[in-house]
Amino acid sequence: NTTLGILHSAADSILEDLTFQGVWNPLLMSGSDFVDSSSIGLKFLATSSLINCQNNRIKNCKFVNLNTAVVDDSDSRYNIFDSNYIYKCYKGIIFGENTDLSTPGMLIGPTYNVISKNTFHEVYTNGIKIKTGQWNSSQLNKFIKTGTDGADENYAKYFEKNQEINFFNFLMFIFL
């Protein structure tokens, strides 16, 4: 597992103008084999629901050639993902995919986070996926050649609001 950045119970931090660069294999251009299948750009961890990642701002960062750009299975809250560029990743910003709802720090999943003005370019499965967590919002994001679960890697057949999402507010999407 290659994780480039970890925010462990971080609060009031600003990550700005950073690049999280993975390993690209140009010979393998499809499916999960095209990058290191365990590479993560930025991961959020929480000691508990009270000691969690909160009030952090991730702005103008680039996530390139990774399996997953951002992973958050913790009880994080009030984090802002603003104007980032996610390029040639298998997954984009993924909330609550492995939240088990019983481990300290994973009792409710990510809440009240804002994903805004990001560009998802050639993200092969999901640009944004929320499995567990609530009251998160997405606004003014741009999706270029970004798929959804079950879609071809190079073409989004449909846009899917994952049925496991609790009140995930999609305000505006631009598909190119």
Side-chain angles (χ1 to χ4, degrees):
N1 186 357
T2 305
T3 302
L4 301 178
I6 297 175
L7 289 178
H8 194 280
S9 301
D12 305 313
S13 299
I14 298 173
L15 279 68
E16 189 169 4
D17 298 322
L18 298 174
T19 298
F20 297 87
Q21 175 76 46
V23 179
W24 172 256
N25 184 343
L27 301 175
L28 301 171
M29 295 292 285
S30 66
S32 61
D33 293 332
F34 84 104
V35 292
D36 170 6
S37 64
S38 63
S39 63
I40 297 168
L42 185 61
K43 185 171 186 168
F44 285 66
L45 298 172
T47 303
S48 70
S49 294
L50 295 175
I51 304 171
N52 60 28
C53 289
Q54 61 184 344
N55 302 316
N56 297 295
R57 184 175 187 124
I58 293 75
K59 182 175 181 170
N60 294 326
C61 291
K62 293 179 184 175
F63 298 87
V64 181
N65 296 335
L66 298 159
N67 181 271
T68 309
V70 177
V71 171
D72 187 356
D73 295 315
S74 73
D75 295 340
S76 70
R77 60 181 178 240
Y78 303 111
N79 296 294
I80 299 171
F81 300 86
D82 180 33
S83 303
N84 298 293
Y85 183 64
I86 294 100
Y87 180 63
K88 290 198 186 236
C89 293
Y90 192 67
K91 300 177 187 177
I93 298 174
I94 309 298
F95 285 169
E97 190 167 53
N98 296 304
T99 302
D100 64 18
L101 304 175
S102 63
T103 301
M106 283 196 220
L107 299 177
I108 57 174
T111 57
Y112 299 107
N113 296 295
V114 176
I115 302 168
S116 124
K117 295 181 269 179
N118 298 284
T119 299
F120 298 86
H121 187 184
E122 293 186 38
V123 178
Y124 290 86
T125 59
N126 297 94
I128 299 169
K129 181 177 182 180
I130 309 283
K131 182 177 177 186
T132 307
Q134 50 192 343
W135 303 298
N136 296 290
S137 68
S138 170
Q139 53 196 346
L140 302 172
N141 292 296
K142 184 188 303 185
F143 299 86
I144 304 165
K145 290 179 70 176
T146 295
T148 59
D149 277 345
D152 184 297
E153 282 100 19
N154 295 314
Y155 177 72
K157 293 181 189 172
Y158 55 88
F159 180 72
E160 173 185 32
K161 279 190 186 179
N162 189 316
Q163 301 225 352
E164 299 171 84
I165 295 172
N166 296 317
F167 189 72
F168 188 58
N169 184 15
F170 290 91
L171 298 175
M172 181 176 172
F173 289 96
I174 302 168
F175 291 97
L176 301 175

